[in-house]
Each structure stands twice: as structure tokens, then as C-alpha cells.
């Protein structure tokens, strides 16, 4: 039996810092188990806390319980924070009331997972995983999305396009006035099979990303379908079905978003099997998906592309803070020349031919290079860096900016971001997004504008 409630001083400390704790506290199984072991939480309390769907709700439930759990609850909570590498929160709670959060940097605070950048880890383990190949500590390609905590994602409404802007740009860009604008497919793998894919940790915050994308593209007038936690074969089946959709004939574009763990050129299914991105792009080419010929096809890939973390470099001079001319020839010689002459002699006008793959643009959360493929960063409350910036840019800029320029702006924003993890090797880590394009016109989404005919 607990003797009595928490002391007034400790209760006030929790109350005074409740906003900071709800924003930054990571209530995971290890922290809850520590409080259970100290007889502060009962088993049913622990289950009710961990059953909450978001980190903020778990934090709030724990903070409601602690003041009622006896005079040792506060000191036990402080010890649990230290054990779970949240020392800065224990310091915040134990400092005098006169001292405010001056030691935290407001411009950096949202980037830290409770003040620390940590690798997603296997259940009940705090250490970085070892590889089977070498004994040195290193990052595995399967777990190279990082988790960073802060508050909820941006919900600014999509700004509308004006009639004047539409009229002045619609002729020079892809046609984009169907309603809906197109169909959007979001595949988000958050939880992985613990037996078939034991090396793939849950992607905490992934559920935030797919909800952000669902709301974003719905507001941009797309019919959005979200699938969660598919195997590699399940993803293939889903994409094939999406490609065959007859509705593509009457709309002017499509969107595909893949969110998962990944490696260079592929993303993981929940069964630990890889889905090759080349296969995905091929599924939407002009041969396999004729209903989307000459229409923009937009892809957004939130996944790692390798096992290297970008630690950044110091900027030397920066601040302390930081159509064909018909002259092509085929090397194959005269192949096909006879067929062309024969069709001309018969008076048959040949059809215009299309390249196998065109009219595509793909944004990647992380960088691919000749010697390095980098990790993607994810925040367990706001979602991944890339999806955050994509969401913000499309909401604020799509009214008067074409998609390629928006992705340039996303690159610029990602370039500015840094992880906040004082005292660790990962402090001020970096990420760089990139995109590829075979577009032949500008893609303006003309949000919330429908021409009157």
C-alpha cells in the first residue's frame, strides 16, 4: 500500500513542467517497466498507459497517475528518466522554480527525442544493433530511420489558387482541372512481423505520416486510399490493382506514397522482403498503365536508402549557426528501317511513339550517391522530416508554385534541419532529400479551383 500522495513540492514541479513533459517525454515500455519494478505503477496501470495510441497521450496519462502514487513516485520517476536516457528532463524537474528552461534552445528543442536523438531499437534493448558481419558498433540498414520527438504536425489549410493564376498558367502546364484531380495511394508500413522481420523495428510516427498525407491530398482534391502494414507481396498486389483502376481515364494525375524501412532501390514489406522501386516505376510506365499516359505521376518515398548517417560538415564561410532535331542515330545500324519504308509505301501514318517511362517525378526522403546512401529522419510525434516539409510546402505553396520548385524548397528546408541530441555522437545530424523527374511540363495542382465551363 502507498502511504500517501506526492509531496506538494514534487506535485508542483510536475505541474509546472507538464507542458514540456507532454511535448518531450518518451513513455516507452522501458520507462513503464522501471516504474513497475519500483511498485509505482500496477500492471493494469502500465497496460492502460501503453495502450494509448500516441506518445503525447501516454505522457498525459502517466502524469495524471504519478501524483497519486505516493511520496516515492517523484524520485522513482526521476530515476526512470535517467535510466531511459532522458537526463535533461530529470534536470528540468529538479531545478529550482526560479530557473526557467533557459538551458533549452527553443529553436532546437522540437528536433530532439526528449532532448536526444536515438536510433529506433528492438524491444527491450537500448543499445545500437550489431551487424552479423563485424563486431564494431554500427548502424544497420534495416533500422536507419531515426526517431525524433516534438509536437503535432502542421494543419494549416491548403491555400487556394486564384482564378487569375489558373488562367495565366494552365496553358503552359499539365492539364489539371479534373475533380478529383486524381487518385492517391498511400502505403505505410509501421509494424513489422517480429518473427519474419526481427531486425525491422516499429516505425513510431509512421502513422502520423500517413494521416498527414491522407488529409493533405484529400484537401488537394485527390481520392486517397491508405493501406497500413503490407507484406512485400501485399504491396505489389495493391499497386497492381491501383494501376488497373479504370478511374484513371477520367482524371489528370496520380500520387503514390511509400513509407517504410528501406535500402537503396527498395522498401521493406512487413515480412522483411523487399519491394524493388524499379518495379514500382515500371508498373506506371506508358506500356503497363496506358490510362495515365501523358499525365503526371507523382511518387514520394519516405524510407532510408542506405546505412550511413549524415553528420554534416562545417560551412567555411557560413554563420556560426546555422524537342528532337531528328539527328539521333541507332547504334544498331539499319534495324527497323525496312518496316518504316514499307509502312510509308502503304500510306499508313505511323502512330506517335512514347518512351517507356515519362511524366514522372519522385521525391526521396534521403540521398543516393556513388559512395553513400543516407538515412532518413523521423519524429515520433510529428512524423518524418521529409513528410513534414512536403506537407507544409504543398499546403502553403501549391497555390502558385509548380511541383518541381516545391521539391526544391523541401530540399532547402531539409538542408537546414538538424537533430538535437546534446552529449551524443548524433547531435546536429543532418539529412538531405532529393528528387528525380521525367516531367516535360510544369505540374501545378491549382488547389481548390475548378474552372467554370
Amino acid at each position: 500500500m502507498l502511504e500517501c500522495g506526492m509531496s506538494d513540492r514534487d506535485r508542483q514541479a510536475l505541474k509546472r513542467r507538464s507542458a514540456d513533459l507532454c511535448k518531450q517525454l518518451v513513455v516507452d515500455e522501458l520507462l513503464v517497466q522501471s516504474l513497475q519494478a519500483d511498485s509505482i505503477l500496477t500492471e493494469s496501470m502500465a497496460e492502460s498507459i501503453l495502450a494509448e495510441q500516441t506518445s503525447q497521450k501516454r505522457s498525459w496519462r502517466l502524469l495524471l497517475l504519478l501524483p497519486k502514487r505516493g511520496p516515492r513516485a517523484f524520485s522513482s520517476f526521476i530515476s526512470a528518466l535517467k535510466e531511459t536516457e532522458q537526463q535533461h528532463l530529470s534536470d528540468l524537474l529538479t531545478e529550482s522554480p526560479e530557473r526557467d528552461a533557459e538551458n533549452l534552445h527553443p529553436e532546437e528543442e522540437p528536433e530532439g527525442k526528449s532532448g536526444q536523438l536515438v536510433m529506433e531499437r528492438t524491444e527491450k534493448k537500448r543499445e545500437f544493433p550489431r551487424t552479423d558481419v563485424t563486431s564494431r558498433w554500427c548502424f544497420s540498414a534495416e533500422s536507419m530511420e531515426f526517431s525524433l520527438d516534438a509536437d503535432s504536425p502542421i494543419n494549416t489549410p491548403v491555400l487556394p489558387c486564384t482564378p487569375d493564376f489558373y488562367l495565366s498558367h494552365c496553358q503552359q502546364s499539365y492539364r489539371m482541372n479534373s475533380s478529383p484531380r486524381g487518385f492517391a495511394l498511400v502505403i505505410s508500413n509501421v509494424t513489422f512481423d517480429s518473427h519474419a522481420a526481427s531486425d525491422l523495428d516499429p516505425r513510431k510516427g509512421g502513422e502520423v505520416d500517413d494521416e498527414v498525407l491522407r488529409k493533405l491530398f484529400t484537401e488537394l482534391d485527390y481520392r486517397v486510399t491508405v493501406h497500413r502494414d503490407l507484406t512485400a507481396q501485399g504491396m505489389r498486389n495493391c499497386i497492381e490493382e491501383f494501376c488497373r483502376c479504370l478511374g484513371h481515364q477520367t482524371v489528370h494525375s496520380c500520387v503514390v506514397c511509400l513509407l517504410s524501412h528501406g535500402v537503396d532501390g527498395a522498401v521493406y514489406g512487413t515480412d522483411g522482403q523487399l519491394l524493388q522501386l524499379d518495379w514500382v516505376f515500371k508498373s506506371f510506365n506508358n506500356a503497363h498503365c496506358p490510362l495515365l499516359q501523358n499525365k503526371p505521376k507523382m511518387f514520394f518515398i519516405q524510407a532510408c536508402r542506405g546505412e550511413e548517417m549524415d553528420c554534416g560538415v562545417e560551412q567555411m564561410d557560413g554563420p556560426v549557426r546555422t524537342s528532337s532535331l531528328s539527328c539521333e542515330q541507332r547504334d544498331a545500324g539499319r534495324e527497323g528501317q525496312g518496316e518504316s519504308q514499307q509502312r510509308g509505301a502503304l500510306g499508313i501514318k505511323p502512330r506517335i511513339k512514347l518512351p517507356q517511362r515519362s511524366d514522372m517525378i519522385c521525391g526521396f526522403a534521403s540521398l543516393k550517391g556513388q559512395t553513400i546512401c543516407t538515412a532518413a529522419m523521423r519524429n515520433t510525434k510529428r512524423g518524418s522530416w521529409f513528410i513534414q516539409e512536403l506537407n507544409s510546402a504543398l499546403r502553403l505553396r501549391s497555390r502558385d508554385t509548380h511541383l518541381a520548385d516545391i521539391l526544391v524548397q523541401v530540399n532547402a528546408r531539409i538542408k537546414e534541419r538538424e537533430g538535437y541530441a546534446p552529449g551524443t555522437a548524433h547531435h546536429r545530424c543532418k539529412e538531405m532529400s532529393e528528387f528525380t523527374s521525367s516531367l516535360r511540363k510544369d505540374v501545378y495542382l491549382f488547389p481548390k479551383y475548378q474552372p467554370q465551363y
Side-chain angles (χ1 to χ4, degrees):
M1 292 288 293
L2 294 170
E3 298 174 8
C4 59
M6 184 179 288
S7 71
D8 288 340
R9 183 186 65 179
D10 295 341
R11 188 190 303 270
Q12 287 302 315
L14 284 176
K15 183 177 180 181
R16 189 171 63 250
R17 299 302 186 187
S18 60
D20 294 315
L21 289 169
C22 280
K23 179 188 289 187
Q24 301 179 56
L25 178 62
V26 178
V27 181
D28 58 11
E29 188 171 349
L30 286 172
L31 185 138
V32 171
Q33 285 178 349
S34 177
L35 293 172
Q36 272 188 277
D38 217 7
S39 299
I40 301 301
L41 295 179
T42 65
E43 185 175 351
S44 62
M45 289 175 181
E47 290 177 354
S48 68
I49 292 170
L50 295 174
E52 295 289 354
Q53 294 300 307
T54 67
S55 181
Q56 191 169 16
K57 288 181 179 179
R58 288 192 291 271
S59 300
W60 184 249
R61 182 175 285 274
L62 175 61
L63 294 175
L64 287 176
L65 286 171
L66 281 177
K68 307 171 186 177
R69 300 306 298 163
R72 294 188 302 106
F74 187 82
S75 60
S76 179
F77 181 49
I78 295 297
S79 298
L81 289 174
K82 294 176 180 178
E83 290 174 9
T84 55
E85 302 174 5
Q86 302 184 70
Q87 175 76 41
H88 79 294
L89 288 181
S90 68
D91 294 342
L92 195 65
L93 286 169
T94 53
E95 67 185 5
S96 63
E98 290 77 17
R99 292 178 60 195
D100 207 345
E102 296 171 344
N103 295 327
L104 294 178
H105 302 280
E107 73 276 11
E108 296 176 293
E109 180 184 345
E111 300 305 323
K113 179 175 182 178
S114 301
Q116 288 194 327
L117 169 65
V118 298
M119 171 173 288
E120 283 192 274
R121 54 195 179 273
T122 54
E123 189 176 6
K124 298 184 181 180
K125 291 186 179 180
R126 306 298 302 191
E127 67 270 14
F128 293 150
R130 289 180 182 266
T131 63
D132 294 330
V133 179
T134 177
S135 60
R136 67 181 177 88
W137 293 109
C138 62
F139 300 115
S140 68
E142 294 83 2
S143 302
M144 279 304 297
E145 275 193 324
F146 289 79
S147 298
L148 302 165
D149 267 352
D151 46 5
S152 57
I154 183 174
N155 286 315
T156 304
V158 171
L159 299 181
C161 165
T162 64
D164 286 346
F165 184 85
Y166 174 82
L167 292 173
S168 63
H169 288 78
C170 63
Q171 296 299 322
Q172 294 79 36
S173 60
Y174 283 97
R175 188 179 182 190
M176 192 72 73
N177 55 29
S178 63
S179 185
R181 294 287 190 262
F183 297 93
L185 173 66
V186 180
I187 298 178
S188 175
N189 289 338
V190 176
T191 305
F192 296 79
D193 189 320
S194 59
H195 299 292
S198 59
D199 291 334
L200 301 179
D201 302 329
R203 298 180 59 254
K204 297 177 183 178
E207 70 282 357
V208 177
D209 281 344
D210 61 56
E211 180 63 10
V212 164
L213 292 171
R214 183 190 67 79
K215 290 179 179 178
L216 170 66
F217 285 108
T218 297
E219 202 167 342
L220 287 169
D221 197 16
Y222 283 82
R223 298 279 176 83
V224 184
T225 302
V226 178
H227 292 275
R228 178 85 61 81
D229 295 341
L230 298 181
T231 64
Q233 186 58 51
M235 290 193 287
R236 291 187 191 95
N237 294 342
C238 186
I239 289 170
E240 287 176 343
E241 182 179 354
F242 184 77
C243 289
R244 291 194 299 265
C245 175
L246 296 178
H248 290 311
Q249 186 169 3
T250 58
V251 297
H252 292 159
S253 63
C254 82
V255 175
V256 177
C257 304
L258 302 178
L259 301 85
S260 187
H261 287 300
V263 294
D264 183 25
V267 295
Y268 281 100
T270 56
D271 55 351
Q273 300 300 307
L274 287 168
L275 174 70
Q276 298 296 325
L277 293 179
D278 229 26
W279 178 89
V280 175
F281 300 140
K282 184 177 180 181
S283 299
F284 288 88
N285 72 17
N286 293 315
H288 288 87
C289 197
L291 296 181
L292 287 171
Q293 286 180 1
N294 300 315
K295 301 175 183 179
K297 296 163 277 286
M298 295 163 270
F299 300 86
F300 303 102
I301 313 296
Q302 172 56 46
C304 297
R305 302 173 77 183
E307 60 182 39
E308 296 290 337
M309 185 178 69
D310 189 344
C311 296
V313 297
E314 295 294 335
Q315 184 173 323
M316 292 299 293
D317 58 350
V320 176
R321 283 288 299 155
T322 75
S323 80
S324 170
L325 297 177
S326 302
C327 60
E328 292 88 353
Q329 293 183 334
R330 285 176 58 96
D331 289 338
R334 295 179 170 275
E335 181 180 343
Q337 182 176 339
E339 179 186 353
S340 176
Q341 291 175 341
Q342 183 179 10
R343 291 174 64 90
L346 294 174
I348 301 173
K349 187 176 182 180
R351 288 188 177 183
I352 295 174
K353 296 186 73 172
L354 297 173
Q356 285 288 326
R357 187 184 298 179
S358 65
D359 308 291
M360 294 184 180
I361 186 168
C362 182
F364 293 93
S366 54
L367 202 62
K368 177 182 178 180
Q370 293 180 347
T371 60
I372 182 173
C373 296
T374 55
M377 313 302 284
R378 177 166 30 83
N379 178 302
T380 61
K381 289 182 179 177
R382 297 187 67 181
S384 63
W385 287 6
F386 178 65
I387 300 300
Q388 286 177 49
E389 298 299 347
L390 179 68
N391 174 52
S392 178
L394 284 172
R395 287 182 175 278
L396 299 176
R397 303 297 182 188
S398 61
R399 65 183 303 186
D400 58 7
T401 308
H402 63 81
L403 184 60
D405 273 0
I406 286 176
L407 290 178
V408 169
Q409 294 174 14
V410 169
N411 286 352
R413 291 287 297 162
I414 294 288
K415 180 174 178 283
E416 293 174 0
R417 297 187 70 154
E418 292 182 356
Y420 181 65
T424 75
H426 319 302
H427 186 43
R428 300 188 64 188
C429 68
K430 304 293 290 184
E431 176 182 333
M432 192 62 230
S433 54
E434 68 174 345
F435 68 94
T436 61
S437 174
S438 59
L439 297 178
R440 54 195 170 80
K441 297 181 181 180
D442 292 335
V443 175
Y444 286 100
L445 298 177
F446 301 125
K448 302 183 179 181
Y449 179 77
Q450 195 60 39
Q452 300 298 317
Y453 297 106

